[in-house]
Amino acid sequence: MARIIVVTSGKGGVGKTTTSAAIAMGLAKKGHKTAIIDFDVGLRNLDLIMGCERRVVYDFINVINGEASISQALIRDKNCNLLYILPASQTRDKDALSKEGVGRVLEELSQEFKYIVCDSPAGIEKGANLALYYADDAFVVTNPEISSVRDSDRMLGLLSSKSRRAERNEEPIKEYLLLTRYDPSRVKSGEMLALDDVQEILSLQLLGIVPESKSVLTASNAGIPVILDEKSEAGQAYEDIVARYLGEERPHRFIDGKRGFLKMLFGGRS
Amino acid sequence: MSSNQQKKQTNVSSVIEFKSSTFFAPILILFDNDIAAIELALQEKIQQAPEFFKNSPLIIDVSESNKLDCAINIADIANVLRKIGLFPVGIRGGNGQQNTQARALFIPIDTARTAGSKISDENTQKQSSVNKPSEPEKEIIEEPVVTPQSTPEPTTETTLITQPVRSGQRIYASGDLIIMSQVSAGAEIMAEGNIHVYNTLRGRALAGVQGKTDARIFCLDLQAELISIAGDYKIYEDLNKQISKKPVQIYLKDHALIIQEII
């Protein structure tokens, strides 16, 4: 039985798709067969980040409507053969998603995959609701600024009340905080909320901090999940996050912006 | 909050369903029959918190004005209320003529909840035992308390919440409400009785929403957007910054919210 992870935030532009792509790749790299689904129907992006936009034939909606089988729609990743991508439809909108249809697809994927990562669209409407509905774990992606924190808080409310687990009175969704686009120098100067400020409001288990990094944009444009850029801080941060999620204990990094000794010697990219 | 989905049945009886439910509506107590003065006072109040009153349902209580021989015409007051965007949904304490007027306007009449001055005396005593003593000869009977003598005691069941109350969530308790976790900004917690928050309170907290004026709010860290007891409220801007972020209790005294640090 697969573990279903939703990557969500409420607010747009905080790094949901970047995070989804990175952790899905990270899980697959660790030897777990992983599927990643783009729930942002109509605003398809994940295929670009994963670098498979030219290989999309069928999509999520085709599978929901029974126009294609799951194996026809799944795209195998070019960097890792344990990772499969189910792209969103670009020509439809969120109304094409249905609770039963999504449930059926997830059920079928669960037979074959160990992890299913659901890349949620922004907002709290149908797409986001269905992305979280069947989830077992939630990665709440938050930027260190107040509107993102408020929206994450709202999302956490929905996770605890609008999911299948909540409706069935089962064990609640396990919620994790991922603080992305964190810039320690701006935190120090008071322009950005510090980790403690965010935690005071959200009080969630912190899975990791991803520092603001130029390599994220570079990786996105190249269609390679940033986790594969092992030299970048963002790539390392996602590596840590995947390891922590899988139960490994690793100290948190990138909080105070101090450069490590090895970094100073070898001059790692920021 | 929890929504149990029920499978739709195809027979005819499934198109409607009766459920017993409790609603929260402010009570407008009138002390005079001067329509112009009432309208002016209402407009002033609404200007302070337009969102709070926007399209709000309202129950008109005329028992006080009737006591002072200022029987008001229900059609007139209903007109004024509707004109400024409020929805009168009931009257109480009306005389025969007023009830007839209300009926003609399809406004329901609450007959059980008219008396109450006795109970409010008790409240005053209870409060004064905790607070600084108020002048004993001054009896406060401005706020009739809604404890119907004819019906059985209202449910005093306590609701316990251990999970955080997140932004956008609402919790309603028919008795006391105890929250062990934080209440986020943008959340709304309401109780007919007292509210206890053993953590940070950042959202809105409304105690005594059915008019229980001796209800109290207790919290360990007050950063609330709004606090209210029996309809009297304060927003964060109006709170004394001295008591913000401190453990406090909040109670009502002479229609004023008293916020007191608990040491």
Side-chain angles (χ1 to χ4, degrees):
Chain A
M1 203 56 192
R3 196 87 186 152
I4 300 171
I5 302 168
V6 60
V7 178
T8 187
S9 69
K11 194 172 182 300
V14 296
K16 282 184 297 296
T17 301
T18 301
T19 299
S20 301
I23 58 159
M25 178 62 81
L27 289 166
K29 279 275 182 196
K30 292 258 182 193
H32 304 291
K33 197 170 180 190
T34 303
I36 177 165
I37 306 176
D38 190 352
F39 272 78
D40 207 347
V41 180
L43 292 167
R44 188 174 84 197
N45 276 167
L46 182 69
D47 54 323
L48 295 169
I49 308 295
M50 300 297 299
C52 65
E53 72 274 15
R54 297 202 183 124
R55 290 190 285 148
V56 176
V57 182
Y58 294 108
D59 58 50
F60 192 18
I61 301 300
N62 291 139
V63 179
I64 286 177
N65 293 343
E67 295 149 6
S69 71
I70 286 189
S71 52
Q72 283 177 304
L74 282 174
I75 303 168
R76 181 187 284 199
D77 186 78
K78 60 190 174 196
N79 293 302
C80 180
N81 60 11
L82 286 176
L83 179 60
Y84 289 80
I85 300 128
L86 184 54
S89 169
Q90 182 69 354
T91 52
R92 308 293 293 274
D93 61 30
K94 276 25 166 210
D95 289 333
L97 292 168
S98 68
K99 194 178 266 184
E100 296 73 26
V102 172
R104 235 177 20 244
V105 173
L106 289 175
E107 178 66 28
E108 200 174 324
L109 287 172
S110 291
Q111 312 297 326
E112 207 184 323
F113 289 89
K114 182 80 189 296
Y115 291 102
I116 301 168
V117 178
C118 301
D119 180 23
S120 171
I124 54 169
E125 281 73 44
K126 197 172 184 185
N129 279 329
L130 286 175
L132 72 81
Y133 184 73
Y134 294 98
D136 300 305
D137 299 310
F139 287 14
V140 180
V141 182
T142 305
N143 287 168
E145 49 106 7
I146 46 167
S147 56
S148 173
V149 173
R150 167 76 62 91
D151 291 358
S152 292
D153 196 50
R154 178 88 168 98
M155 215 63 227
L156 287 161
L158 295 178
L159 284 166
S160 62
S161 61
K162 291 275 158 67
S163 64
R164 182 170 68 169
R165 281 171 174 267
E167 279 180 8
R168 292 184 176 177
N169 262 330
E170 294 170 352
E171 194 188 326
I173 294 176
K174 188 95 189 66
E175 301 153 345
Y176 300 97
L177 173 66
L178 272 77
L179 200 53
T180 57
R181 311 196 68 163
Y182 196 79
D183 186 339
S185 64
R186 295 187 73 188
V187 170
K188 215 169 268 177
S189 65
E191 292 169 60
M192 206 176 247
L193 292 181
L195 170 64
D196 293 346
D197 303 330
V198 178
Q199 277 295 57
E200 198 187 312
I201 297 170
L202 296 181
S203 46
L204 278 187
Q205 184 182 338
L206 177 70
L207 210 50
I209 292 170
V210 182
E212 176 80 69
S213 164
K214 283 178 183 156
S215 51
V216 172
L217 187 61
T218 316
S220 294
N221 287 337
I224 303 162
V226 71
I227 196 167
L228 295 176
D229 185 354
E230 287 159 14
K231 291 196 187 109
S232 72
E233 288 192 338
Q236 292 169 18
Y238 280 118
E239 224 282 301
D240 282 358
I241 284 167
V242 171
R244 284 191 200 103
Y245 174 68
L246 293 173
E248 216 177 290
E249 288 217 5
R250 289 194 185 184
H252 284 289
R253 299 195 272 169
F254 316 114
I255 297 176
D256 49 12
K258 274 180 206 139
R259 308 200 98 200
F261 176 67
L262 284 172
K263 269 281 169 55
M264 278 158 60
L265 276 182
F266 298 109
R269 277 185 274 164
S270 64
Chain B
M1 253 183 36
S2 69
S3 61
N4 284 336
Q5 284 206 328
Q6 286 176 340
K7 288 236 169 82
K8 273 189 188 167
Q9 290 171 339
T10 41
N11 59 4
V12 185
S13 64
S14 67
V15 292
I16 59 159
E17 188 183 325
F18 277 106
K19 271 190 173 167
S20 170
S21 178
T22 316
F23 289 92
F24 159 49
I27 296 161
L28 176 70
I29 302 163
L30 300 175
F31 297 96
D32 205 330
N33 61 355
D34 183 347
I35 289 282
I38 291 169
E39 185 175 357
L40 206 67
L42 277 168
Q43 275 169 344
E44 233 169 66
K45 195 91 177 163
I46 288 169
Q47 246 171 14
Q48 290 169 7
E51 282 305 310
F52 190 79
F53 286 106
K54 199 173 173 185
N55 299 334
S56 175
L58 199 74
I59 290 162
I60 310 164
D61 187 322
V62 290
S63 50
E64 295 300 318
S65 53
N66 284 358
K67 259 184 229 164
L68 301 166
D69 280 335
C70 300
I72 197 163
N73 184 304
I74 299 301
D76 291 348
I77 182 70
N79 259 340
V80 166
L81 291 173
R82 285 177 181 147
K83 200 172 80 188
I84 54 182
L86 297 165
F87 294 90
V89 294
I91 75 155
R92 67 185 200 191
N95 59 29
Q97 198 190 351
Q98 286 170 325
N99 288 351
T100 315
Q101 290 164 349
R103 232 172 268 126
L105 293 163
F106 300 104
I107 296 176
I109 298 148
D110 185 1
T111 46
R113 305 179 168 187
T114 45
S117 53
K118 252 189 182 171
I119 303 154
S120 84
D121 282 348
E122 281 170 27
N123 287 337
T124 331
Q125 281 163 15
K126 263 189 227 159
Q127 283 193 350
S128 56
S129 65
V130 185
N131 317 331
K132 297 203 173 79
S134 54
E135 300 97 310
E137 64 275 4
K138 195 181 171 189
E139 282 190 345
I140 300 144
I141 46 166
E142 288 169 349
E143 180 77 39
V145 172
V146 285
T147 315
Q149 273 100 345
S150 52
T151 50
E153 279 283 288
T155 46
T156 49
E157 209 176 290
T158 301
T159 308
L160 176 69
I161 307 282
T162 52
Q163 296 286 102
V165 185
R166 300 289 184 180
S167 189
Q169 290 188 308
R170 302 179 90 189
I171 290 180
Y172 188 98
S174 53
D176 282 5
L177 177 60
I178 300 176
I179 295 175
M180 303 301 296
S181 205
Q182 61 179 0
V183 178
S184 293
E188 199 167 79
I189 53 173
M190 293 180 283
E192 289 175 25
N194 305 303
I195 292 177
H196 305 250
V197 181
Y198 295 103
N199 207 312
T200 307
L201 170 58
R202 292 195 182 85
R204 297 160 161 246
L206 298 95
V209 289
Q210 295 288 333
K212 190 168 151 39
T213 47
D214 61 342
R216 293 186 180 211
I217 299 172
F218 305 86
C219 72
L220 283 192
D221 178 0
L222 180 68
Q223 300 179 34
E225 293 171 329
L226 180 143
I227 46 169
S228 158
I229 292 174
D232 283 299
Y233 69 94
K234 262 189 183 168
I235 54 174
Y236 186 76
E237 292 280 295
D238 299 339
L239 296 182
N240 183 352
K241 295 296 171 284
Q242 298 285 306
I243 44 88
S244 131
K245 302 196 176 186
K246 292 200 172 131
V248 294
Q249 64 160 328
I250 301 151
Y251 55 88
L252 202 58
K253 191 184 172 192
D254 301 355
H255 274 285
L257 282 177
I258 312 289
I259 304 169
Q260 196 178 57
E261 204 178 328
I262 310 172
I263 305 140

